[in-house]
């Protein structure tokens, strides 16, 4: 299969990537700093490791003013989450407290690990599910400014040590369902441990993690646990999930990035059940951290990029760029080579056309724990990483962390796709300077100007907003989808754009990457193309809608046809 | 009564006959069988290879280099079992950055050519695989790392490999080297942990990993590079463990060692102690023969 198709190759190269990313965090009024959790002293020796997650960012337009807002989670008791309302002039105001979404990190309730937005009651306002090491929390958007905690009423008050939740409509009934990933077992309260045997029992084949959960939206404000009925209760230490119709049968499937184990693909059998597929994912066991979906080579398919761990001299797990060949061969094919395979200790990642040339770039956040730069935990980690699982299932037997770093001070990577010439990292050229411990990455056109801005939530460190400045000569088009028969947020809708020899597919995001969610609006770069031939929208309901020659360099709102 | 007495005797005879039969097999075939067993278990159960092209390349380069150099050096192609063992060891032990294949090509070439180039009095000094991996880790830590996978989270695979390994090591006559090294490793690293106020378990845990199984059954027991005499072999095994403990001590203390020493202390310990011991052994032998 050729991977150099499309009009886009050779337009961008390492010296002329065609865009610049500028850190405009403070100018935008974003001053969010994540604080990590603190747990039971029984696991103090490896607390930096156990508490190394929780910085998340999700994009929403909670007040429906047409401008994307940002929600960041915090992970220490008493530290508030932050909801930044987009004023539309390049600045934000923090309104989490007045919205009722700030004070979510409390003893007995848990600490936030992330949030996903979706209109679960189809009232036209985006609601939010906050996942924690602790109880899930569902908030209904009351009036575009205030949120009501409806967790109990919805039947979702469950203790789950979760690092990821996605919205999807698995049975295509027009109501958003929830898939909740679990990391530590759900009977573990990290503040009141009855045992220190809480860790994974293998670095490559662990199955003693928390059980993932699927909740079916019943439509009356309540959700029903259908995990066992649908067969999706993996216990593989899942860190991230994403959903799309990978095999083209019209039903959304679920892709899991699992820490300490191979990735998993659950194929949706007509909404009746999920079947764990052997799609070539089981042959490599790594440390899946995030799964990003995007059309990597303009084939009109959604491929999967899964981040992993690499540390020079110690470990090269290598990231996976898995080409979706499900429709023809029922498999994904890993084509990650060279620079894209090694992004250090990689976390959140997202595909987005940052230079508007028609091809996706790939932004990868990385770095695990930045502490004393002169002390590395890698040597200590190497002692137990190859050993039998019984040695490290008990947190008390791990070498104490002290003030050591573990793959700390790593700079984010920004890869441009040069087709057969491979991906090349242009982070330095485009202006990435920080070496924070990146976790979540979300993309959004924050000023509705045809440019994809990048927001990064950093662990125990400040969040960063990189404003994107693409070449002004390139064209673009964007769509906001509104479901009618499908869920109102249109989550799961896929859009295939065709402009001459350019093809590009995107999906409305119900949560992807690591602990993140992109703007639900879909942005397509067009390069030099001055028109779009047609756009095909695959709505979650099964409806296909075709738009011919839509106007470019603008955002269009498209409502799902009633029939 | 007499039947009851005869039965164990018959069993013993059967065992003895089996052991005798085993003894008639060329040791290299037994070692080749064991490394093949490790390879099959590692791949079928744990997908440890990464890809089959690595195996084909490493094996191909090892076999071709051995055939070519032996023909050039001795005028005939030698038995290729040793190259086969090196090729499989390299495939399992090398983990490259970004799926690169060149480390398997270069590693295979380095391993086999070292036998023909780095010689003293007609003998090579380094275990070929050990030399190649050490060279790659030292020269290209940004591109190559050592195997850090587990054999799963149960003990079954470990036990099978240890059982076959010990039987074959006994048959080949090197079990004392394996056991001495393992005992020394456990003792010295426990002492190190206690002396430094560290928990003991993480310090002895590495010995349960597959990297160490390959190390104790295929590297330090390589019949061509061990010294002569059981006692000397035991002393050298202890010295390798001492050197490894010293390297680990240095890593504990944050000495500015090359990453290879931190990541693969056992490999580097053998690479430094083994050739010196072999050189001294050969030198002593030469002195005796000339004296």
């Amino acid at each position: 299969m050729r991977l150099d198709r499309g009009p886009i190759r050779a337009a961008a190269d390492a010296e002329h990537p065609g865009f610049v990313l500028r850190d405009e965090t403070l100018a935008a009024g974003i001053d969010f700093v994540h604080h990590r959790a603190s747990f039971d002293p029984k696991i103090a020796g490896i607390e930096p490791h156990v508490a190394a997650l929780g910085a998340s960012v999700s994009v929403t337009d909670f007040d429906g003013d047409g401008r994307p807002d940002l929600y960041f989670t915090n992970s220490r008791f008493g530290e508030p989450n932050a909801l930044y309302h987009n004023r539309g002039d390049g600045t934000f105001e923090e309104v989490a407290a007045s919205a009722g979404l700030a004070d979510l990190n409390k003893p007995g309730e848990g600490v936030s690990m992330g949030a996903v937005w979706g209109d679960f009651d189809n009232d036209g306002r985006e609601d939010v599910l906050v996942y924690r090491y602790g109880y899930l929390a569902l908030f209904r958007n009351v009036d575009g400014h205030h949120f009501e905690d409806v967790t109990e009423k919805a039947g979702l008050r469950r203790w789950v040590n979760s690092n990821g939740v996605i919205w999807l409509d698995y049975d295509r009934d027009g109501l958003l369902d929830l898939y909740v990933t679990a990391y530590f077992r759900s009977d573990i309260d990290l503040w009141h441990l009855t045992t220190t045997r809480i860790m994974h029992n293998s670095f490559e084949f662990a199955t003693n993690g928390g059980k993932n959960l699927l909740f079916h939206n019943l439509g009356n404000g309540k959700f029903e646990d259908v995990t066992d009925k649908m067969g999706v209760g993996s216990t593989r230490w899942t860190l991230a999930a994403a959903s799309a119709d990978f095999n083209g049968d019209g039903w959304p499937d679920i892709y899991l990035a699992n820490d300490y184990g191979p990735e998993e693909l659950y194929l949706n059998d007509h909404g009746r059940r999920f079947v764990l597929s052997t799609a070539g994912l089981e042959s490599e066991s790594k440390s899946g951290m995030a799964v990003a979906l995007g059309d990597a080579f303009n084939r009109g398919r959604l491929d999967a990029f899964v981040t992993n761990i690499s540390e020079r001299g110690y470990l090269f797990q290598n990231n996976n760029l898995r080409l979706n060949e499900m429709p023809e061969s029922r498999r994904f094919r890993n084509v990650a080579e060279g620079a894209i395979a090694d992004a250090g200790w990689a976390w959140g990642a997202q595909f987005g056309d940052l230079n508007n040339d028609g091809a996706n770039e790939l932004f990868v956040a990385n770095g695990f724990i930045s502490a004393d730069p002169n002390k590395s935990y890698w040597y200590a980690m190497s002692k137990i990483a190859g050993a039998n699982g019984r040695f490290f299932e008990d947190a008390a037997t791990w070498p104490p962390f002290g003030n050591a770093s573990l793959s700390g001070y790593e700079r984010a990577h920004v890869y441009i796709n040069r087709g057969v010439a491979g991906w090349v990292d242009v982070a330095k050229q485009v202006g990435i300077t920080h070496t924070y411990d990146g976790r979540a990455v979300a993309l959004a056109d924050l000023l509705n100007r045809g440019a994809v801005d990048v927001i990064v939530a950093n662990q125990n460190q400040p969040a960063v907003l990189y404003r994107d400045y693409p070449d002004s000569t390139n064209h673009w088009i964007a769509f906001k989808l509104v479901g009618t028969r499908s869920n109102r947020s249109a989550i799961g809708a896929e859009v295939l754009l065709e402009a001459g020899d350019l093809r590009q597919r995107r999906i409305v995001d119900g949560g992807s990457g690591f602990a993140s969610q992109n703007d639900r609006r879909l942005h397509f770069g067009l390069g030099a193309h001055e028109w779009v031939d047609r756009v095909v929208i695959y709505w979650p309901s099964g409806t296909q809608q075709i738009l011919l020659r839509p106007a470019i360099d603008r955002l269009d709102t498209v409502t799902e046809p009633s029939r | 009564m007499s039947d009851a007495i005869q039965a164990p005797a018959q069993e013993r005879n059967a065992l003895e006959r089996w052991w005798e039969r085993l003894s008639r097999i060329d040791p290299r075939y037994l070692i080749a069988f064991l490394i093949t067993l490790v390879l099959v278990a590692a791949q079928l159960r744990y997908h440890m290879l990464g890809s089959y092209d690595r195996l084909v390349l490493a094996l191909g380069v090892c076999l071709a280099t051995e055939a070519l150099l032996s023909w050039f050096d001795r005028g005939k192609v030698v038995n290729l079992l040793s190259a086969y063992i090196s090729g499989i060891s390299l495939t399992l032990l090398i983990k490259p950055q970004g799926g690169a294949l060149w480390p398997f090509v270069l590693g295979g070439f380095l391993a086999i050519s070292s036998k023909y180039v780095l010689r003293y009095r007609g003998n090579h000094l380094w275990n070929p695989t050990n030399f190649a991996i050490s060279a790659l880790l030292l020269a290209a830590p940004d591109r190559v790392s050592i195997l850090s996978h587990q054999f799963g989270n149960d003990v079954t695979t470990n036990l099978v490999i240890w059982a076959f390994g010990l039987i074959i090591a006994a048959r080949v006559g090197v079990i004392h080297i394996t056991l001495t090294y393992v005992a020394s490793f456990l003792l010295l690293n426990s002492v190190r942990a206690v002396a430094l106020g560290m928990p003991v378990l993480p310090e002895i845990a590495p010995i349960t990993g597959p990297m160490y199984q390959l190390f104790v059954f295929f590297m330090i027991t390589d019949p061509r590079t061990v010294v002569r005499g059981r006692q000397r072999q035991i002393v050298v095994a202890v010295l390798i463990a001492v050197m490894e403990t010293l390297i680990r001590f240095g890593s504990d203390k944050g000495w500015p060692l090359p990453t290879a020493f931190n990541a693969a202390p056992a490999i580097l310990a053998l690479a430094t102690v083994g050739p010196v011991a072999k050189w001294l052994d050969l030198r002593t032998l030469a002195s005796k023969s000339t004296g």
Side-chain angles (χ1 to χ4, degrees):
Chain A
M1 176 195 304
R2 289 184 54 157
L3 300 179
D4 61 342
R5 60 180 303 164
I8 62 270
R9 309 310 67 189
D13 60 52
E15 295 308 314
H16 306 93
F19 66 104
V20 172
L21 296 173
R22 291 191 190 135
D23 177 359
E24 297 186 5
T25 316
L26 294 179
I30 294 174
D31 54 0
F32 177 78
V33 179
H34 176 263
H35 298 276
R36 73 169 172 84
S38 190
F39 297 126
D40 191 318
K42 291 190 196 81
I43 54 170
I46 58 165
E47 186 176 278
H49 182 100
V50 177
L53 306 173
S56 85
V57 58
S58 46
V59 180
T60 181
D61 179 8
F62 71 93
D63 59 347
D65 63 0
R67 296 187 290 261
D69 311 304
L70 303 173
Y71 187 58
F72 295 94
T73 58
N74 225 319
S75 309
R76 183 175 296 167
F77 289 147
E79 293 291 343
N81 296 348
L83 178 62
Y84 285 95
H85 174 243
N86 188 342
R87 289 193 182 106
D89 60 357
T91 66
F92 292 80
E93 62 176 328
E94 207 284 300
V95 298
S98 63
L101 294 177
D103 188 19
L104 299 184
N105 306 309
K106 295 183 274 196
E109 292 292 311
V111 294
S112 303
M113 290 288 131
V116 279
W117 297 77
D119 186 359
F120 80 88
D121 53 3
N122 288 332
D123 66 354
R125 289 184 287 270
E126 288 218 315
D127 313 298
V128 61
L129 185 290
V130 179
Y131 46 96
R132 301 186 273 203
Y133 282 181
Y135 287 108
L136 298 173
L138 178 64
F139 293 88
R140 192 178 76 84
N141 188 336
V142 178
D143 55 5
H145 302 285
H146 303 95
F147 290 78
E148 170 194 11
D149 186 343
V150 295
T151 316
E152 193 84 56
K153 217 177 342 181
L156 289 173
R157 190 165 167 78
R158 294 277 288 271
W159 184 282
V160 190
N161 293 307
S162 174
N163 288 107
V165 172
I166 57 171
W167 294 105
L168 76 163
D169 181 7
Y170 76 86
D171 57 349
R172 300 193 343 194
D173 63 356
L175 297 165
L176 283 174
D177 312 302
L178 279 169
Y179 189 69
V180 180
T181 71
Y183 196 61
F184 293 98
R185 292 192 319 270
S186 297
D187 63 335
I188 291 171
D189 177 343
L190 289 162
W191 294 269
H192 305 94
L193 292 171
T194 55
T195 175
T196 51
R197 297 189 73 81
I198 61 168
M199 304 300 286
H200 44 286
N201 59 6
S202 167
F203 268 91
E204 283 100 21
F205 311 99
T207 53
N208 66 334
K211 182 180 179 182
N212 296 345
L213 302 169
L214 178 63
F215 292 100
H216 180 224
N217 187 342
L218 299 174
N220 53 0
K222 293 185 187 306
F223 288 77
E224 175 192 11
D225 183 348
V226 293
T227 310
D228 294 332
K229 182 178 146 197
M230 299 303 293
V232 285
S234 174
T235 57
R236 275 198 183 275
W237 294 83
T238 307
L239 273 176
S243 175
D245 177 16
F246 294 108
N247 56 0
D249 66 354
W251 296 85
D253 313 305
I254 298 173
Y255 196 115
L256 302 182
N258 298 315
D259 206 356
Y260 317 120
E263 294 145 40
E264 290 175 301
L265 175 68
Y266 285 95
L267 291 177
N268 188 338
D269 179 9
H270 299 84
R272 294 189 293 258
R273 65 187 182 117
F274 285 86
V275 178
L276 184 58
S277 163
T278 51
L281 310 181
E282 69 287 352
S283 63
E284 292 170 291
S285 185
K286 302 183 178 179
S287 305
M289 303 279 158
V291 51
L293 303 182
D295 190 348
F297 293 99
N298 295 84
R299 300 177 308 137
R301 293 265 179 86
L302 289 173
D303 308 306
F305 181 71
V306 177
T307 54
N308 281 287
I309 303 170
S310 288
E311 172 68 19
R312 306 287 164 99
Y314 283 99
L315 180 68
F316 289 114
Q317 284 189 327
N318 302 321
N319 302 319
N320 298 328
L321 175 55
R322 297 199 185 273
L323 287 192
N324 179 359
E325 297 177 350
M326 290 296 292
E328 59 269 31
S329 64
R330 301 169 67 84
R331 295 182 76 78
F332 280 84
R333 182 162 61 98
N334 188 12
V335 295
E337 285 179 0
I340 199 173
D342 176 5
W345 192 311
W347 286 95
Q350 297 292 355
F351 286 100
D353 192 349
L354 301 175
N355 52 13
N356 278 340
D357 69 351
N360 275 316
E361 279 68 54
L362 189 50
F363 192 104
V364 183
N366 58 354
F368 189 35
I369 298 169
S370 297
D372 185 339
N374 298 313
K375 288 184 188 165
S376 169
Y377 193 76
W378 264 106
Y379 161 62
M381 183 71 102
S382 71
K383 297 173 191 170
I384 55 173
N388 188 272
R390 291 170 198 280
F391 282 92
F392 45 78
E393 188 176 359
D394 188 345
T397 63
W398 282 50
F401 232 90
N403 194 34
S405 293
L406 183 58
S407 292
Y409 304 100
E410 295 185 343
R411 186 167 55 184
H413 294 265
V414 184
Y415 297 103
I416 59 171
N417 181 357
R418 300 174 301 162
V420 288
W423 299 71
V424 61
D425 182 17
V426 296
K428 200 173 168 185
Q429 290 90 326
V430 300
I432 302 295
T433 52
H434 295 295
T435 55
Y436 291 143
D437 294 333
R439 291 294 180 274
V441 178
L443 305 181
D445 181 355
L446 294 172
L447 288 174
N448 297 339
R449 64 200 165 97
V452 182
D453 305 311
V454 182
I455 309 100
V456 184
N458 298 300
Q459 181 73 13
N460 217 30
Q461 288 164 330
V464 176
L465 160 61
Y466 290 108
R467 194 84 73 185
D468 179 30
Y469 292 92
D471 274 357
S472 57
T473 52
N474 286 337
H475 295 286
W476 60 278
I477 188 169
F479 301 98
K480 178 186 178 182
L481 305 185
V482 180
T484 54
R485 298 167 58 224
S486 305
N487 69 84
R488 183 80 175 247
S489 299
I491 284 171
E494 296 185 19
V495 174
L496 178 64
L497 176 140
E498 295 172 353
D501 52 0
L502 170 63
R503 298 184 87 202
Q504 181 69 257
R505 182 183 288 257
R506 296 198 186 280
I507 183 168
V508 179
D509 189 14
S512 65
F514 172 74
S516 59
Q517 186 180 22
N518 297 316
D519 193 351
R520 248 69 71 233
R521 303 174 311 175
L522 302 179
H523 173 98
F524 294 83
L526 298 174
H529 291 86
E530 293 184 341
W531 67 86
V532 170
D533 295 316
R534 69 171 196 161
V535 173
V536 184
I537 303 172
Y538 301 89
W539 293 91
S541 63
T543 304
Q544 279 187 33
Q545 183 178 6
I546 297 176
L547 310 177
L548 296 174
R549 294 275 177 135
I552 64 168
D553 295 327
R554 54 177 275 184
L555 167 71
D556 268 343
T557 298
V558 182
T559 302
E560 182 181 16
S562 56
R563 181 54 67 176
Chain B
M1 184 68 183
S2 61
D3 285 351
I5 293 168
Q6 280 177 359
Q10 281 172 353
E11 280 171 20
R12 198 166 49 245
N13 289 340
L15 196 65
E16 280 169 2
R17 281 200 300 276
W18 176 78
W19 187 254
E20 210 173 294
R21 274 203 299 276
L22 198 65
S23 304
R24 284 199 289 270
I25 301 172
D26 184 333
R28 286 174 299 183
Y29 286 102
L30 295 176
I31 297 170
F33 164 75
L34 181 60
I35 192 95
T36 307
L37 176 75
V38 174
L39 174 76
V40 171
Q43 179 59 11
L44 291 188
R45 288 204 66 182
Y46 307 117
H47 306 289
M48 209 175 274
L49 281 189
S51 70
Y52 285 103
D53 44 8
R54 297 174 182 186
L55 176 64
V56 170
L57 270 180
L59 261 181
V61 170
C62 282
L63 293 172
T65 308
E66 182 88 292
L68 200 69
L69 291 182
S70 64
W71 179 79
F72 187 75
D73 188 50
R74 301 177 199 174
K76 64 170 185 177
V77 175
V78 298
N79 188 315
L80 297 177
L81 270 180
S82 167
Y84 172 81
I85 294 165
S86 296
I88 292 182
S89 300
L90 284 170
T91 309
L92 287 167
L93 284 167
I94 292 176
K95 295 295 159 193
Q97 181 202 38
L101 292 173
W102 66 262
F104 299 96
V105 176
L106 183 59
F109 178 75
L110 283 175
I112 303 304
S113 57
S114 75
K115 294 202 296 186
Y116 293 86
V117 176
L118 303 171
R119 296 160 73 104
Y120 178 67
R121 294 187 179 275
N123 286 272
H124 57 276
L125 300 176
W126 273 272
N127 166 266
T129 312
N130 177 257
F131 176 80
I133 293 174
S134 301
L136 287 173
L137 289 176
L138 285 167
D142 286 359
R143 297 287 180 268
V144 179
S145 67
I146 188 94
L147 171 73
S148 62
H149 264 58
Q150 298 170 274
F151 274 144
N153 53 357
D154 58 54
V155 294
T156 315
T157 313
N158 271 294
L159 288 177
V160 169
I161 290 169
W162 274 102
F164 274 99
L166 290 172
I167 290 169
I168 289 168
R171 162 60 194 92
V172 177
V174 293
I175 193 169
H176 56 284
I177 300 176
T178 298
L179 294 179
T180 301
Y181 171 80
V182 171
S184 305
F185 176 94
L186 294 173
L187 178 69
L188 290 168
N189 286 292
S190 299
V191 169
R192 185 183 116 252
V194 172
L196 293 175
M198 304 186 301
V200 173
L201 271 179
E203 305 310 319
I204 60 172
I207 201 79
T208 62
M211 193 278 272
Y212 270 85
Q213 286 170 5
L214 291 163
F215 182 72
V216 298
F217 288 126
F218 302 104
M219 279 194 194
I220 58 170
T221 54
D222 176 7
R224 297 301 305 274
T225 52
V226 295
V227 297
R228 291 164 303 118
R230 187 185 171 90
Q231 280 184 334
R232 287 196 191 97
Q233 289 170 351
I234 288 173
V235 169
V236 172
V238 172
L239 286 175
I240 292 167
V242 168
M243 175 59 87
E244 182 185 355
T245 308
L246 276 174
I247 294 171
R248 288 186 177 277
F249 180 81
S251 300
D252 294 328
K253 289 293 184 185
W255 294 352
L257 298 167
T259 308
F261 284 84
N262 301 326
I267 302 285
L268 271 295
L270 174 61
T272 47
V273 172
V276 174
K278 184 70 180 175
W279 181 78
L280 285 172
D281 185 45
L282 292 169
R283 194 161 170 266
T284 309
L285 181 68
S287 308
K288 277 182 184 167
S289 59
T290 52

